[in-house]
Amino acid sequence: AQKITQTQPGMFVQEKEAVTLDCTYDTSDQSYGLFWYKQPSSGEMIFLIYQGSYDEQNATEGRYSLNFQKARKSANLVISASQLGDSAMYFCAMREGREDNQGGKLIFGQGTELSVKP
Amino acid sequence: GAGVSQTPSNKVTEKGKYVELRCDPISGHTALYWYRQSLGQGPEFLIYFQGTGAADDSGLPNDRFFAVRPEGSVSTLKIQRTERGDSAVYLCASSLGPAGGSTGNTIYFGEGSWLTVV
């Protein structure tokens, strides 16, 4: 069963508008972490934002915010005021907290390709 | 250096040859990870080191793949008898500690080594 699902293979957004990238996850653990990474065409995975399963408030980092809905097991990324440089692949990832996975292995979704139009 | 450094950035090799990919993690990071990313896919976990030991190698696809981290810093991923299906980007990442679950140790990635087997 897929643990991380990103249902949008591609998204378009107009420059300066906000966009939401969807992510749902599947875990039976109570303790887990959710991450979003950006991967531009250069290939580097750039960390954007992190949400812990016990965090009561949604994480925010500058123009990025994570809409965490625990009961629905969703962790959508919201990018406000899109910029041309935001065009890239975006990956949602989860780290579970099982005893046999204390190393923090990340499980990634398939990614969403975001294109920002001028 | 400030970030995770990987060499070579690109490698073309013939089927059946042996390949080594090197990763230099962020200074002070005790946890090191190798991932493999095929075209159009999210990264897939290969192996995780905590210090010098491989704490989780469950992602290594077969016994042609091996990784070492003899002094707890630099790591080398070794692929024997390469096959065309091994062509991918090999990403290395590091984090400050062996946090699992909802603890906030972020995993930082390098730019990857692009391996092409012809």
Side-chain angles (χ1 to χ4, degrees), chain A residues 31-33 37 39 43-45 47 50 52-54 91 95-97 101-106 108-110, chain B residues 33 35 37 40-43 45 48 56 58 91 98-107 109-111 114:
Chain A
S31 175
Y32 53 89
Y37 285 85
Q39 188 176 43
E44 184 181 3
M45 296 287 284
F47 167 74
Y50 165 82
S53 58
Y54 295 123
F91 290 97
R95 179 171 63 199
E96 294 177 301
N101 189 25
Q102 287 304 307
K105 175 174 70 178
L106 289 179
F108 284 83
Q110 298 282 12
Chain B
Y33 311 81
Y35 285 80
Q37 186 176 23
Q41 304 291 319
F45 171 79
Y48 153 69
D56 183 351
S58 61
L91 293 165
S102 66
T103 53
N105 276 345
T106 298
I107 298 177
F109 284 79
E111 293 192 357
W114 296 65

Side-chain angles (χ1 to χ4, degrees), chain B residues 43-61:
Chain B
E44 293 179 298
F45 171 79
L46 295 177
I47 188 170
Y48 153 69
F49 287 91
Q50 178 53 40
T52 60
D56 183 351
D57 64 358
S58 61
L60 294 178

Side-chain angles (χ1 to χ4, degrees), chain A residues 18-63:
Chain A
V19 63
T20 298
L21 306 183
D22 295 342
C23 173
T24 58
Y25 59 93
D26 181 26
T27 182
S28 57
D29 289 345
Q30 297 300 311
S31 175
Y32 53 89
L34 296 157
F35 298 77
W36 278 92
Y37 285 85
K38 172 185 177 181
Q39 188 176 43
S41 56
S42 61
E44 184 181 3
M45 296 287 284
I46 301 168
F47 167 74
L48 296 179
I49 196 165
Y50 165 82
Q51 179 87 40
S53 58
Y54 295 123
D55 295 342
E56 294 185 353
Q57 293 196 337
N58 286 343
T60 61
E61 289 286 349
R63 294 186 299 112

